[in-house]
Amino acid sequence: MNLWGGTTFDFYSGIGSHDPKIINPYLEHLIVFLESHNNSLVVCDLGCGDFNIGKHLAKYTKKYIAIDIVEKLINRNKKIFEEDNLEFYCLDIAKDKLPSADCIIIRQVLQHLSNSEIQSIIKKLVNYKYIILTEHIPLGHFIPNKDIISGQGIRLKENSGVDLLVLPFKLKVKDQKILDEHILENNKGRILTTLYEVF
């Protein structure tokens, strides 16, 4: 329905996946991380969308597993993006079993989900060594994890955003590091990417 723009695209994952000012620094930081592991990590991308991000990262991995809930989108991605180390699956990440991997990428996905769905995903995240999480959150102080109904919208208008380390989620991590932060214009918040190392 082009609710996120991109009227000339068959599928469009929004400006956060297409604006060079947002995605280029993000890609640079992720490539540095992947190369620091000698391109040997198996990466699972939860919510790969139109694959405008993942297409730049797959070659820096041992295997790149891209997942989305939209079957027509996954079928489209399979036709457009073909690499020996690339796999696409149509899964509901809140309900279905996830593939084995070393690293999980979740880019601006949890912000659209209810707390109960996020909780079910977190239970699976503890099986991975690294989590690279990107969330659109307010500038300055905000109230984390206000519940929403899953859908197109996010918590920003409620002065809230997803923080996995606080209630009700309380994800336990060994280490965390901010990889990238992009401040949006007109007080529209910031896009924050954090690397978590799990116990």
Side-chain angles (χ1 to χ4, degrees):
M1 294 171 63
N2 303 117
L3 294 175
W4 293 340
T7 53
T8 59
F9 293 80
D10 56 348
F11 287 94
Y12 183 74
S13 292
I15 194 169
S17 293
H18 285 266
D19 184 343
K21 293 194 299 281
I22 297 173
I23 67 171
N24 288 348
Y26 171 86
L27 288 169
E28 287 173 14
H29 288 107
L30 261 70
I31 289 168
V32 167
F33 169 75
L34 294 171
E35 287 186 328
S36 74
H37 290 83
N38 301 312
N39 302 348
S40 66
L41 295 180
V42 176
V43 171
C44 187
D45 182 347
L46 303 183
C48 67
D50 62 15
F51 211 57
N52 194 55
I53 298 284
K55 70 183 182 184
H56 299 286
L57 298 174
K59 64 183 176 183
Y60 299 99
T61 69
K62 181 179 180 181
K63 183 192 290 186
Y64 199 98
I65 305 166
I67 292 171
D68 205 278
I69 196 170
V70 181
E71 187 172 10
K72 287 182 180 178
L73 174 59
I74 287 296
N75 290 338
R76 171 259 199 194
N77 286 350
K78 284 179 178 178
K79 291 175 185 174
I80 296 175
F81 306 104
E82 293 185 31
E83 301 289 343
D84 291 340
N85 68 331
L86 178 60
E87 299 175 4
F88 288 99
Y89 296 102
C90 181
L91 297 173
D92 181 335
I93 64 173
K95 296 177 181 176
D96 295 329
K97 183 178 179 182
L98 302 179
S100 297
D102 304 301
C103 177
I104 288 285
I105 293 175
I106 317 176
R107 180 175 172 80
Q108 294 181 258
V109 172
L110 300 186
Q111 62 195 35
H112 295 289
L113 303 182
S114 68
N115 283 358
S116 63
E117 283 194 306
I118 294 173
Q119 195 75 269
S120 67
I121 293 166
I122 286 175
K123 291 176 182 174
K124 304 170 191 182
L125 295 185
V126 297
N127 297 320
Y128 303 92
K129 184 172 184 182
Y130 300 108
I131 301 165
I132 299 175
L133 177 70
T134 303
E135 288 292 317
H136 187 170
I137 58 177
L139 291 168
H141 176 75
F142 65 92
I143 302 167
N145 306 327
K146 281 190 178 179
D147 204 2
I148 61 169
I149 297 170
S150 296
Q152 181 216 356
I154 63 174
R155 294 164 174 78
L156 201 67
K157 61 188 174 196
E158 302 288 334
N159 192 40
S160 185
V162 174
D163 184 343
L164 295 186
L165 303 188
V166 303
L167 290 171
F169 307 130
K170 298 286 283 183
L171 176 69
K172 289 182 169 54
V173 298
K174 188 194 310 185
D175 195 15
Q176 63 176 308
K177 176 184 178 184
I178 293 174
L179 291 184
D180 185 50
E181 181 178 23
H182 179 81
I183 308 296
L184 296 165
E185 297 174 358
N186 302 320
N187 199 33
K188 291 186 177 177
R190 57 193 177 126
I191 299 175
L192 185 69
T193 299
T194 308
L195 168 66
Y196 298 106
E197 187 172 352
V198 183
F199 286 98

